[in-house]
Amino acid sequence: MKNTKKLTGIAVAGLTLAAGFAAAAPKPEDSVEYRQGVLFAMGWNVGEMGAMVKGDAPFDAQRFAFLAERTAKLSPMVLEGFRPDSKGAKSHARSRLWDNMDDFEKRMKTLEEATQKLATVAQGGDEGAMKKQFGETVQVCKKCHDEYREKM
Amino acid sequence: MKNTKKLTGIAVAGLTLAAGFAAAAPKPEDSVEYRQGVLFAMGWNVGEMGAMVKGDAPFDAQRFAFLAERTAKLSPMVLEGFRPDSKGAKSHARSRLWDNMDDFEKRMKTLEEATQKLATVAQGGDEGAMKKQFGETVQVCKKCHDEYREKM
């Protein structure tokens, strides 16, 4: 195992250095980059579903279900980026988020449930139901942004 | 459905505007932000596993398995960010990546398989096997970075 460990160590060092984060404990700005990355990836998927819902793109039930599934996979990853030590780091989060972490965690749970429901509904292929649950999911996003994100 | 659609449209508009991407078709710089976001999130998880493998953090098989599972969920999301129209956008990707898309897609497939294997192995809880597969997975990352990412 010693050689394996050594080799792995070198590879990891190269990787983490390149990715710009410390392996042992993330820096506050890395927490910001992590959560913004996950949220942007969610937005990427939500945006494409939104284009279908709004009629800016043709409705494709299979693609919609794929995007919903990805959103459901991403949503449980968000919370971890709001580490306590990232409260002061430059970001769009309002500081009161950390003063109301119980509420924020509840909202993240609600988001998980909403995105999971969207993925489940999308499996069914009913366009009306998908659009309805999409609207409800987006409301969860929006309410939390209104409360805890600076106006952009 | 008309009212639902209208309401959803407004909510989506607010969300996409805030997230900074166009709903109908992503701009090249959004493709970059998307893929960098997913890759950073992967690095976040890989970094924490790496700290355990290197001995910078105590080895926690359950947490390792959780991180491996997340990495396996993220890896299939990367490729979509390398849209053809993002070739010229400012990023760390070398332009030859787009000239060798078949090779790049193969590497992405290999990454998917390696991260999935890591998640599966991690379910088994064998520390040695987990560290070995982690090392092999990180090599897949590194080789692709060496080939297609600018030196950082």
Side-chain angles (χ1 to χ4, degrees), chain A residues 21-121:
Chain A
F21 65 90
K27 289 177 287 185
E29 58 267 34
D30 290 335
S31 296
V32 174
E33 192 163 348
Y34 166 77
R35 70 194 189 221
Q36 288 183 346
V38 175
L39 285 164
F40 194 90
M42 283 187 68
W44 173 276
N45 291 283
V46 169
E48 193 176 333
M49 285 188 278
M52 292 187 207
V53 170
K54 286 191 291 173
D56 291 344
F59 191 83
D60 177 339
Q62 200 172 351
R63 175 73 182 166
F64 192 104
F66 175 76
L67 297 165
E69 180 64 33
R70 288 209 301 205
T71 306
K73 283 178 179 168
L74 288 164
S75 65
M77 301 184 192
V78 177
L79 179 62
E80 192 170 294
F82 289 89
R83 286 170 57 98
D85 64 2
S86 68
K87 180 178 178 177
K90 187 172 156 48
S91 82
H92 304 298
R94 293 181 174 163
S95 65
R96 69 176 181 219
L97 185 155
W98 282 270
D99 303 330
N100 295 284
M101 192 46 86
D102 284 355
D103 176 62
F104 185 66
E105 286 181 5
K106 263 183 223 159
R107 288 171 186 269
M108 289 289 101
K109 197 73 201 161
T110 303
L111 178 67
E112 278 184 45
E113 288 163 3
T115 54
Q116 187 52 60
K117 187 174 174 191
L118 182 62
T120 304
V121 166

Side-chain angles (χ1 to χ4, degrees), chain B residues 23-136:
Chain B
K27 288 178 286 184
E29 58 267 34
D30 291 334
S31 296
V32 174
E33 192 163 347
Y34 166 77
R35 71 194 188 221
Q36 287 183 347
V38 174
L39 285 163
F40 194 90
M42 282 187 68
W44 173 275
N45 290 284
V46 169
E48 192 176 333
M49 286 188 278
M52 291 187 208
V53 171
K54 287 191 292 173
D56 292 343
F59 191 83
D60 177 339
Q62 200 171 350
R63 175 74 182 165
F64 191 104
F66 174 77
L67 297 165
E69 181 65 32
R70 288 210 301 204
T71 306
K73 284 178 179 167
L74 288 164
S75 65
M77 301 185 193
V78 176
L79 180 61
E80 193 169 292
F82 289 89
R83 286 170 57 96
D85 64 1
S86 68
K87 180 178 177 178
K90 187 172 154 51
S91 81
H92 305 298
R94 292 180 174 165
S95 64
R96 68 176 183 221
L97 185 155
W98 283 270
D99 303 329
N100 296 283
M101 192 45 86
D102 284 355
D103 176 62
F104 185 66
E105 286 182 5
K106 263 184 223 157
R107 287 170 187 268
M108 288 290 101
K109 196 74 202 161
T110 304
L111 178 67
E112 278 183 45
E113 289 162 2
T115 53
Q116 187 52 59
K117 187 173 174 189
L118 182 61
T120 304
V121 166
Q123 288 294 328
D126 178 334
E127 184 175 334
M130 286 151 86
K131 287 180 172 175
K132 185 172 177 293
Q133 182 56 28
F134 179 81
E136 285 172 19

